Amino acid sequence: MQLTQGWQMRHVLLVLCVCTAVFCEDITLLKAQTYALGKKVEMLTESLSTVIEDLNSLIKEKQEALRKDDSYTSEDLAKDVKTRRKEVTKSSADVLAKIKDARTESYKKLEESLKEKGCGQGRAQENQAQYTYEGVSQNAAPLPDPCSDSEDDDCRRDEVIEAFKHSWNGYRQYAWGWDELMPLSKRGKNWAKGVSKSFGLTIHDAMSTMWLMGLHEEFAQGIKWLQEEFDPDLDFTMSAFESVIRMVGGGLSAYELSGEKYPVLLKTAKAVADRVMFAYNTSSGIPHASINFATRAHGSPPWTAGSSVLSEFGTVQLELRTLTYHTKDATYDQKGTWIMDIIEDVAPPDFLCPTYLNTMSAKWTSDHVTLGALGDSFFEYLLKQYLLTGKTETRYKVMYEKAVKGIMKKLVHKTNHGLSYLAEFKRGGFYHKMDHLACFAGGMLALGVTELDRDGEGGEDRDAV
């Protein structure tokens, strides 16, 4: 699926870039055509995702039947799966054929329109050679700025609020109470497969944002759902890390921003944390990746080979310490701080910690260092833990400074054009790829320079940062 999506997106972007690079008197029609192509391809691709999802659901359903019903044999399971796979293969082929046809038809119409506009036959193919592999043109026109002619200083702020309200209203209308909205199919989607009721993760995520934006009516809708619908004992497995940052962190942020006037926010955060704490019952204290909120069963997926991910167990300390502050229960902070004690003991001298730590032995099981996926927010939280303590626990500042020096010395590289980027290190060498998830680093470094300089603690690396 990732290959299919990447393939269709490159072609959509190429068509869009062609439209913006052709200098014709009126290209409105061309824009409309390429936009329609993009929407059509996205809908077809989502249809393909749904087909594959159906197959996975069927396999899970049949495996459950095999477990419960002695008359349903493994041969029956294999036969059913084989039959369904044939159907999926045919459905997938049909969808891909439609995507190809849609692309071919749109290119044909694009060529005809280019001729009519007097831009020259074959201009589309000629322009395609000017774009990079990712389909991004260096000469592409910027998106229109709705506030370019406005004298209102609040115009951009208002545009952001309206964009948020559009998203929230779509979620309210089509996916209320579900974890996510699928905007093209206008359906709800839950993180756990095969369940119609979940934790409403979008609601938890949005509460603090709505308060900051002054959307008190929408905020009240979220409060009402938490009071009447939220159930912390649903019987399915959930990421312990995601539960903390979304539901615990989201609830506590909204609780504090709203002046601690809505007890349900703190109650919800505590209920979630109490269940997540079972995932911390390991021999080392490094938590497992997932937790079943009903049974309290916890574990990690096979692909981690008994290890836990740095950006997960190293990105819960702010939420847990804040929860301890509001509940006066030291357990939460102790769990998070114990993890930092372990990391401090086993971290390399430059504090560029690898992405995997064995849950039982508390030893690194990888040499992969990255500020992208699997590592990102761990480094972000080092500085923020220091700031959360009112700059009183200096060991977090020391950890952060060591990590920044290591980042600047080893991970910051430059392209042939002089652009800086953050490389990764793995399997004994550098991997010159920068995740989009690593883009937080600029803000982290800016915050570090600002906050440490404020107290004369900027250090010798300030200019380099």
Side-chain angles (χ1 to χ4, degrees), residues 150-213:
S150 174
E151 297 181 359
D152 183 2
D153 292 338
D154 296 330
C155 177
R156 287 181 173 80
R157 181 201 65 184
D158 294 341
E159 285 289 329
V160 171
I161 293 175
E162 286 304 312
F164 178 91
K165 289 173 67 175
H166 171 77
S167 298
W168 177 258
N169 291 335
Y171 172 73
R172 278 276 295 166
Q173 182 174 355
Y174 299 111
W176 185 238
W178 292 67
D179 288 334
E180 300 171 352
L181 165 68
M182 294 193 291
L184 297 181
S185 59
K186 298 180 181 179
R187 293 186 292 129
K189 178 182 178 182
N190 288 325
W191 278 35
K193 305 296 182 184
V195 298
S196 59
K197 185 176 182 180
S198 189
F199 292 131
L201 294 181
T202 292
I203 298 173
H204 296 271
D205 269 341
M207 294 300 288
S208 56
T209 301
M210 290 189 290
W211 187 269
L212 285 171
M213 289 183 169

Side-chain angles (χ1 to χ4, degrees), residues 156-327:
R156 287 181 173 80
R157 181 201 65 184
D158 294 341
E159 285 289 329
V160 171
I161 293 175
E162 286 304 312
F164 178 91
K165 289 173 67 175
H166 171 77
S167 298
W168 177 258
N169 291 335
Y171 172 73
R172 278 276 295 166
Q173 182 174 355
Y174 299 111
W176 185 238
W178 292 67
D179 288 334
E180 300 171 352
L181 165 68
M182 294 193 291
L184 297 181
S185 59
K186 298 180 181 179
R187 293 186 292 129
K189 178 182 178 182
N190 288 325
W191 278 35
K193 305 296 182 184
V195 298
S196 59
K197 185 176 182 180
S198 189
F199 292 131
L201 294 181
T202 292
I203 298 173
H204 296 271
D205 269 341
M207 294 300 288
S208 56
T209 301
M210 290 189 290
W211 187 269
L212 285 171
M213 289 183 169
L215 302 178
H216 298 304
E217 180 180 343
E218 290 82 356
F219 184 86
Q221 294 167 352
I223 290 291
K224 188 173 188 295
W225 187 89
L226 291 173
Q227 290 172 331
E228 299 178 359
E229 302 293 336
F230 178 70
D231 181 1
D233 289 311
L234 295 178
D235 187 8
F236 60 78
T237 300
M238 177 71 181
S239 164
F241 159 69
E242 295 286 353
S243 298
V244 170
I245 65 169
R246 290 171 178 266
M247 293 189 282
V248 178
L252 291 174
S253 297
Y255 181 66
E256 291 187 344
L257 288 168
S258 60
E260 303 178 12
K261 297 177 182 178
Y262 300 91
V264 68
L265 294 168
L266 178 60
K267 178 183 176 182
T268 299
K270 183 180 185 306
V272 171
D274 287 343
R275 287 148 181 81
V276 169
M277 287 298 101
F278 283 89
Y280 288 68
N281 292 336
T282 64
S283 57
S284 67
I286 299 295
H288 280 136
S290 57
I291 177 74
N292 183 297
F293 277 58
T295 67
R296 313 303 198 252
H298 51 91
S300 295
W303 57 268
T304 65
S307 295
S308 294
V309 176
L310 177 67
S311 62
E312 295 190 353
F313 63 79
T315 311
V316 294
Q317 286 71 23
L318 298 178
E319 292 84 353
L320 296 182
R321 175 164 287 199
T322 301
L323 185 59
T324 284
Y325 172 79
H326 286 292
T327 63

Side-chain angles (χ1 to χ4, degrees), residues 85 148 162 230 237 239 363 385 403 454:
R85 276 208 175 111
S148 59
E162 286 304 312
F230 178 70
T237 300
S239 164
K363 293 182 178 180
Q385 288 184 76
R454 188 169 292 168

Side-chain angles (χ1 to χ4, degrees), residues 58-90:
L58 175 80
I59 293 174
K60 183 177 180 181
E61 174 188 330
K62 296 301 183 182
Q63 286 175 333
E64 187 68 16
L66 178 62
R67 187 177 67 83
K68 293 182 177 179
D69 186 358
D70 293 337
S71 64
Y72 188 80
T73 66
S74 57
E75 288 78 12
D76 294 329
L77 172 61
K79 184 179 179 181
D80 284 344
V81 170
K82 185 177 181 180
T83 300
R84 186 59 178 147
R85 276 208 175 111
K86 286 183 179 179
E87 296 174 2
V88 169
T89 300
K90 185 178 184 304

